Amino acid sequence: MSNDSIYQELRSHLTTLRLAAAAEALPGALDAALAEKQSHTEFLKRLLDVEVDATITRRKESLERFARLPAPWSLEDFDFDAQPSVDRAMVTELATLRFLEDATNVLLIGPPGVGKTMLAICLARASIEAGYRTYYTTAADLAARCHRAALEGRWATTMRFFAGPRLLVIDEVGYLPLASEAAAALFQVISQRYMKSSTVLTTNLGVGSWGKVFDDPNVAGAMLDRLLHRSVVFNIDGESYRMRTHRARAERLTSKGGGR
Ligand code: ADP
Ligand code: MG
């Protein structure tokens, strides 16, 4: 068999095995092997490195699309100095994702604009980067989706969907009052994840006032029990970051104006 036909067959093997990146890299890798007098093992390893990298990238992109994060934030963007009520060491620890191993939940509690959604998204981003199935939803979207599912006879499938992700972010619990059906959906999602997988939940409600937003204070209590049983809670106070940047800009403008 000529070198040429061996090469053709090797390429076609790689394609049959769906190793498209390796197939594409083959000519370059062969040239490099000759030029650098690589051993067989080294050549093969380098060729497969290309395929492994492509697979990891593809998987990450797919996790990324699935997660539906509403913003591209990651932890490097979070300004800890601006938010002294957020325990930096704790956030850094959470970013290692060890909390996913024992299904610890994270509760981010605080008024609007203090960075709750941002922190939740930063953890979700880290989780995607580490290769975990991750999903973001607001409480209102979750409720609407469960409502539709109930009408269309897809309740069980939808519950399985929300049980699936290794990390689920439920954003903005308590912004809108939840009718009893919506509260029941949220309760079921939290119950079935309890002790199995982590949920990051953001809310503007102190735990004391959960009863008021849910029609049934018993449901609220049971939900909190499960969420808090194994959890890290951040009570974030201070002023809104949005207002802060807005005010800083306004102050800069007025001080410039005053100087003239
Ligand atoms: P919340 O969910 O608490 O209402 P967000 O997380 O949506 O607040 O934050 C509001 C805005 O302020 C976002 O644009 C966010 O990126 C920004 N922000 C809030 N806190 C910080 C922070 N500590 N560092 C950098 N940006 C921040
Ligand atoms: Mg928010």
Side-chain angles (χ1 to χ4, degrees):
M1 215 183 215
S2 77
N3 268 347
D4 243 12
S5 59
I6 293 177
Y7 172 81
Q8 291 306 340
E9 230 178 285
L10 176 55
R11 243 201 112 117
S12 117
H13 281 351
L14 291 172
T15 311
T16 309
L17 294 171
R18 296 177 196 279
L19 305 177
E24 189 154 329
L26 183 61
L30 283 168
D31 289 345
L34 273 179
E36 296 166 27
K37 299 197 172 62
Q38 290 169 11
S39 67
H40 295 116
T41 43
E42 191 174 1
F43 160 74
L44 191 56
K45 152 109 175 39
R46 290 222 193 159
L47 184 65
L48 292 186
D49 277 348
V50 174
E51 189 63 45
V52 168
D53 286 349
T55 305
I56 290 172
T57 306
R58 215 166 37 236
R59 211 176 283 160
K60 218 168 268 175
E61 282 166 358
S62 142
L63 285 175
E64 177 92 39
R65 274 195 304 278
F66 178 83
R68 293 174 163 274
L69 301 190
W73 297 320
S74 64
L75 217 46
E76 297 86 70
D77 306 321
F78 193 81
D79 178 358
F80 284 93
D81 295 332
Q83 197 50 268
S85 67
V86 170
D87 181 347
R88 183 184 201 138
M90 183 56 87
V91 173
T92 311
E93 162 61 28
L94 288 174
T96 66
L97 301 172
R98 274 196 286 268
F99 76 101
L100 297 182
E101 280 158 29
D102 60 357
T104 295
N105 297 317
V106 179
L107 255 73
L108 297 156
I109 304 173
V114 293
K116 301 183 299 297
T117 299
M118 186 171 183
L119 280 172
I121 289 175
C122 292
L123 293 178
R125 161 100 26 224
S127 161
I128 294 169
E129 286 295 320
Y132 295 116
R133 187 157 287 267
T134 306
Y135 192 76
Y136 169 96
T137 182
T138 61
D141 282 349
L142 182 147
R145 184 152 167 187
C146 292
H147 178 69
R148 270 198 314 277
L151 293 179
E152 294 166 7
R154 290 182 294 103
W155 180 264
T157 320
T158 305
M159 284 302 130
R160 268 201 305 282
F161 176 84
F162 284 115
R166 187 72 188 268
L167 179 66
L168 177 68
V169 176
I170 307 178
D171 201 6
E172 299 180 353
V173 175
Y175 280 76
L176 301 169
L178 288 180
S180 54
E181 189 207 34
L186 186 60
F187 177 66
Q188 191 169 335
V189 167
I190 285 164
S191 294
Q192 60 184 9
R193 296 180 61 81
Y194 176 54
M195 303 293 269
K196 294 200 186 78
S197 24
S198 300
T199 303
V200 173
L201 188 146
T202 84
T203 177
N204 57 329
L205 300 171
V207 268
S209 36
W210 274 49
K212 286 181 218 141
V213 198
F214 298 98
D215 266 359
D216 183 344
N218 288 325
V219 172
M223 202 164 356
L224 273 176
D225 261 5
R226 285 162 175 72
L227 280 171
L228 294 173
H229 175 220
R230 197 179 280 155
S231 64
V232 174
V233 178
F234 290 87
N235 276 296
I236 313 178
D237 50 25
E239 62 179 332
S240 155
Y241 194 87
R242 286 192 200 95
M243 289 304 291
R244 182 194 148 93
T245 44
H246 181 71
R247 214 193 44 219
R249 196 177 322 124
E251 272 167 8
R252 261 201 319 279
L253 288 175
T254 43
S255 69
K256 261 189 211 151
R260 264 177 217 148

